[in-house]
């Protein structure tokens, strides 16, 4: 019964396709890491990733190939990310990576390394190499900043990466001081 309960708990927290965290799992991990960061005054970053030209990939090669591309991205991410990092599917081809105890420059390096690794480890569709890239926005969460606000800042930086050429990492603007909020 305990084993079954543990399996059910995992299913409730995981995206069934990619085996990344789903929204419930993201909410749990974000709350845990934000609390830890605030308590110990550690930096805490997050990154929003969006696969470039995903609609074109789906249209040209089909939704099954699109699903396999998502799975490929997660496989590479799990190889490249640290054990303490968490990846969650926000929806469609968009993911969020939680990078605890990581300053902004370190987070940018980690996400850039993931980008480079993804371009080196080709995704194969019918034995044909298909280049998959993503645009990312990285934000340093301010102490006490709500989850949605931090994600919105990272998301805005990701859109900046898309608008300035794709396959790049942009950093979010800092949160205004508490006195300015």
């Amino acid at each position: 019964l305990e084993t079954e309960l543990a399996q059910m708990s995992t299913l409730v927290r995981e995206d069934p396709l990619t085996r990344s965290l789903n929204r419930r799992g993201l909410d749990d991990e974000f709350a845990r890491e934000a609390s830890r960061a605030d308590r110990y005054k550690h930096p805490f970053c997050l990154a929003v990733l969006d696969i470039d030209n995903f609609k074109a990939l789906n249209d040209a090669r089909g939704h099954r190939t699109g699903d396999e591309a998502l799975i490929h991205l997660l496989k590479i991410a799990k190889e490249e990310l640290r054990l303490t990092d968490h990846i969650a599917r926000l929806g469609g081809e968009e993911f969020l990576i939680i990078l605890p105890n990581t300053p902004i420059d370190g987070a940018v390096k980690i996400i850039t390394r993931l980008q480079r690794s993804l371009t080196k480890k080709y995704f194969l569709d019918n034995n044909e190499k298909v280049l998959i890239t993503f645009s990312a926005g990285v934000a340093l969460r301010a102490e006490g900043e709500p989850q949605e606000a931090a994600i919105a800042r990272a998301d805005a930086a990701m859109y900046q990466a898309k608008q300035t050429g794709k396959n790049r990492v942009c950093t979010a603007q800092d949160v205004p001081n508490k006195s300015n909020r």
Side-chain angles (χ1 to χ4, degrees), residues 11 23 46 60 63 82 86 102 107 116 126 141 143 164:
L11 290 175
R23 191 61 190 221
L46 52 135
H63 291 283
R82 304 164 302 177
H86 308 280
T102 308
R116 301 306 163 241
N126 293 325
R141 179 186 166 271
E143 184 176 344
T164 57

Side-chain angles (χ1 to χ4, degrees), residues 76-83 85 87 97 99 110 114:
I76 302 304
K78 288 179 180 179
E79 290 172 3
E80 291 296 324
L81 295 174
R82 304 164 302 177
L83 290 175
D85 301 332
I87 187 164
I97 299 177
L99 301 153
I110 290 167
L114 174 57

Side-chain angles (χ1 to χ4, degrees), residues 111-122:
I111 300 304
T112 301
R113 185 179 69 227
L114 174 57
Q115 274 185 324
R116 301 306 163 241
S117 184
L118 186 62
T119 59
K120 290 177 188 170
K121 298 176 182 177
Y122 285 102

